[in-house]
Amino acid sequence: QVQLVESGGGLVQAGGSLRLSCAASGRTFSTYAMGWFRQAPGKEREFVAAINWSGDSTSYADSLKGRFTISRDNAKNTVYLQMNSLKPEDTAVYYCSAAMNLRTLVAGNGGGWGQGTRVTVSS
């Protein structure tokens, strides 16, 4: 079972950028597809992006394509989410998760959830 710790959140003005990191423990990190999700106040958790085990296949929520980029470094057991042109509606707690394949993450499922990192975008 992989354990995940998110970091990199904070307060940023609209139009700014942040890079989130998710550090994973365990020797099997490179075998998992990884994903990012977010939960805004009063809303359900939603899928943001996912990347397969090797990093050569990604998937994004349609509304976020072009602004967010997911990547991973298997040597560092870390997955990243680069967020550009941030908007107030991007304000949420961001979580990473692991699964055996992209399809599971895109469907909203995953495991090894971290504690999340809070992103606040001011207008």
Side-chain angles (χ1 to χ4, degrees):
Q1 181 75 10
V2 63
Q3 295 182 322
L4 306 170
V5 177
E6 302 93 340
S7 63
L11 174 64
V12 63
Q13 288 188 330
S17 299
L18 280 176
R19 189 176 80 155
L20 306 183
S21 299
C22 173
S25 63
R27 293 176 293 176
T28 59
F29 171 79
S30 62
T31 67
Y32 287 97
M34 299 297 297
W36 285 96
F37 295 78
R38 68 185 184 183
Q39 187 166 19
K43 295 187 177 181
E44 294 187 353
R45 186 176 63 204
E46 64 174 350
F47 169 76
V48 172
I51 188 167
N52 72 336
W53 68 273
S54 63
D56 62 2
S57 181
T58 58
S59 182
Y60 295 91
D62 287 342
S63 62
L64 300 176
K65 288 180 180 177
R67 293 196 299 123
F68 288 15
T69 303
I70 189 171
S71 62
R72 68 188 295 161
D73 185 338
N74 286 344
K76 295 182 178 180
N77 277 16
T78 302
V79 62
Y80 304 98
L81 184 69
Q82 178 67 43
M83 306 186 296
N84 298 328
S85 301
L86 283 163
K87 305 175 181 179
E89 51 263 43
D90 294 319
T91 294
V93 178
Y94 285 71
Y95 301 89
C96 65
S97 184
M100 295 309 297
N101 54 60
L102 274 180
R103 183 171 58 253
T104 300
L105 292 166
V106 173
N109 300 312
W113 296 96
Q115 296 298 307
T117 186
R118 185 175 301 276
V119 172
T120 303
V121 184
S122 63
S123 58

